[in-house]
Amino acid sequence: MSPSIKNIPRRQAIPILYTRGTHYDVGYDVGRTFAAIIKNFLQLSGPLNDTYLPLYNTDEGRKVYNETLESVKKSFPQYIREMEGTADGAQVEFHKLFLLHMDEILPVAVEGKNSINQPIGCSTVCVNEPDCEILAHTEDALSEVLNHYYFVSAHIVSDSPQGKYNVTEERFTSLCYAGHLPGYTMNYNHHGLVFSINTLSASKLYSGKTPRHFITRALLSAENFAQAQLILRDNGVGAADGCSVNMTFLKQDGDRLFHNAEMGPAERDQSQLNILTASPGEHIVHANMYLRLPVPEVNGLIIDSSVERMKTFKSFNAPKTLNDVIRMLGDQSAKEHTVFREKDAKDIIKTVCVGIFDCRKRTWSLYSDNPKFNAPLVVMPLVIKD
């Protein structure tokens, strides 16, 4: 890493790009607009420079990389073009971006172990009350992600059907880590799908299958709950790794429903999937461990952190209001693994931002600091198709 590249303290700022065009066009605009942030992040990223790139430069690592890339090209060639656009626009190497999207697949497939033993992850609370319908989420990440994220609001129109689901139009707004495809943090699309992601760390991951980042990117095209389930199962291939998806559809008929989908790596040719639904009067809380799917997980800090955060949530009464949710997501009472993470400048993991989707008001509030003590940095309307 260049000694001149250092992260700066938390900034009260988030840039947004509005872009329209083909997948490549949108990717290129993202890369060109955020080139400095993307280049900085690639230099700062410990996992990329210390683990993924050295493994990529081995024969076995390159084999895993190539198998996974070829698999994604068959299912989602349009998202590979989008990433190529980002690489070209930012003038960075494509393989570095793809390695970020493979995440821990490479070290687990090559070395048999997860290389990041950190309390990494996010917390999500969904409240389904008559006068409070909220999906709220802390975005927790390695400290180098702090100040290295942005909004992408994109309208993608294709001349012909794209990928395994024959998509011709996508319109969405997504919070993106630098250099990453939309879809893996907090998002909504013009069909009214609102969702957030919790990383889950299965102990066995698979080469040649679909990395979770591409499955959640495909979710941005989902028109309804049935399509969302189809995308998560990824029939014929299945997920290479796992995550939890918290979602609702603003335009659904009948009562508001929130869903938590736990997705596990595909042992055969489709992802493992377990879905919990919160009806009116119920709520959902999720962190970074499997609560229902019987998937063997890594040992270490991500699980320790999840256990402690879930324990903190259980110390509260069932959330029924926006203030209840803010108190939960801003809580720093735990001895070690707090919900909102910002103990000191040396923290390896930080809560980089907090998002609250209000399904009744149809707004998305983004906090760049602890929501218990700060107003949102921005409140955006959720604009959906008539």
Side-chain angles (χ1 to χ4, degrees):
M1 190 200 318
S2 165
S4 63
I5 300 292
K6 292 181 180 176
N7 207 353
I8 55 177
R10 183 185 295 272
R11 303 297 304 161
Q12 304 301 320
I14 179 169
I16 184 167
L17 171 69
Y18 297 93
T19 173
R20 179 171 57 212
T22 64
H23 285 278
Y24 181 87
D25 292 338
V26 164
Y28 186 89
D29 287 336
V30 169
R32 186 180 71 89
T33 304
F34 300 119
I37 297 175
I38 293 169
K39 286 174 178 172
N40 262 28
F41 182 69
L42 291 179
Q43 289 185 274
L44 285 169
S45 174
L48 176 67
N49 293 296
D50 299 339
T51 303
Y52 306 160
L53 283 170
L55 285 173
Y56 171 80
N57 288 319
T58 67
D59 290 343
E60 196 172 353
R62 191 68 62 91
K63 178 175 178 286
V64 171
Y65 174 95
N66 288 335
E67 283 175 354
T68 306
L69 178 59
E70 287 311 307
S71 177
V72 176
K73 278 183 175 177
K74 286 178 186 171
S75 295
F76 303 113
Q78 73 273 36
Y79 302 142
I80 295 298
R81 286 197 300 276
E82 197 172 309
M83 195 182 295
E84 287 170 344
T86 300
D88 290 348
Q91 298 182 339
V92 299
E93 299 96 328
F94 171 86
H95 72 272
K96 290 184 178 179
L97 300 187
F98 193 76
L99 285 169
L100 291 175
H101 290 74
M102 287 183 69
D103 215 339
E104 287 297 287
I105 295 167
L106 205 57
V108 174
V110 175
E111 299 182 326
K113 65 179 189 290
N114 190 300
S115 70
I116 302 178
N117 182 24
Q118 296 296 346
I120 199 165
C122 309
S123 305
T124 301
V125 179
C126 300
V127 175
N128 197 358
E129 292 293 325
D131 54 355
C132 180
E133 299 171 359
I134 282 174
L135 189 158
H137 182 82
T138 65
E139 197 58 52
D140 302 343
L142 290 168
S143 58
E144 56 254 36
V145 175
L146 191 69
N147 308 315
H148 290 87
Y149 59 89
Y150 41 77
F151 280 121
V152 172
S153 186
H155 186 193
I156 300 173
V157 181
S158 305
D159 293 336
S160 58
Q162 300 290 306
K164 69 193 292 183
Y165 303 117
N166 297 312
V167 179
T168 55
E169 182 185 25
E170 292 181 284
R171 196 165 197 164
F172 57 79
T173 299
S174 176
L175 184 78
C176 303
Y177 290 176
H180 289 68
L181 287 171
Y184 198 68
T185 61
M186 299 177 252
N187 325 264
Y188 85 94
N189 73 11
H190 70 156
H191 302 296
L193 168 61
V194 171
F195 68 100
S196 72
I197 306 297
N198 313 111
T199 292
L200 301 176
S201 291
S203 57
K204 186 171 184 183
L205 310 181
Y206 295 95
S207 173
K209 292 189 179 292
T210 310
R212 56 195 172 204
H213 286 75
F214 289 92
I215 289 177
T216 60
R217 173 65 187 84
L219 262 187
L220 286 169
S221 69
E223 296 184 27
N224 51 53
F225 186 46
Q227 277 189 17
Q229 293 176 79
L230 181 71
I231 289 166
L232 290 171
R233 287 202 183 278
D234 196 41
N235 290 315
V237 184
D241 42 8
C243 67
S244 147
V245 183
N246 312 278
M247 59 183 151
T248 189
F249 279 87
L250 298 178
K251 292 171 69 174
Q252 66 199 25
D253 295 328
D255 292 334
R256 161 80 45 226
L257 298 173
F258 289 94
H259 311 282
N260 172 263
E262 290 186 347
M263 181 183 76
E267 294 173 336
R268 294 184 179 84
D269 61 356
Q270 68 174 24
S271 314
Q272 301 175 70
L273 197 63
N274 180 292
I275 296 176
L276 172 71
T277 296
S279 299
E282 299 177 337
H283 72 281
I284 292 173
V285 176
H286 212 285
N288 304 101
M289 57 189 291
Y290 285 100
L291 301 178
R292 303 180 307 277
L293 262 186
V295 173
E297 296 179 90
V298 300
N299 297 312
L301 291 171
I302 188 169
I303 302 301
D304 298 345
S305 165
S306 294
V307 169
E308 192 163 4
R309 280 178 283 142
M310 292 297 282
K311 186 178 176 183
T312 297
F313 288 144
K314 286 174 183 172
S315 71
F316 286 86
N317 293 326
K320 296 186 180 299
T321 67
L322 172 61
N323 284 337
D324 291 344
V325 172
I326 286 174
R327 279 195 293 271
M328 290 171 76
L329 293 187
D331 190 272
Q332 294 180 294
S333 64
K335 190 173 181 181
E336 186 173 3
H337 302 294
T338 60
V339 177
F340 189 91
R341 308 190 201 187
E342 178 78 325
K343 284 189 175 177
D344 57 52
K346 296 175 185 173
D347 279 352
I348 295 172
I349 303 297
K350 289 186 184 292
T351 298
V352 298
C353 60
V354 175
I356 298 179
F357 293 94
D358 188 319
C359 300
R360 293 174 63 83
K361 294 180 180 177
R362 293 193 175 179
T363 58
W364 179 2
S365 301
L366 198 286
Y367 297 79
S368 53
D369 215 325
N370 192 324
K372 278 178 69 173
F373 312 114
N374 298 275
L377 183 64
V378 61
V379 179
M380 296 188 295
L382 302 176
V383 181
I384 60 177
K385 254 182 172 178
D386 294 331

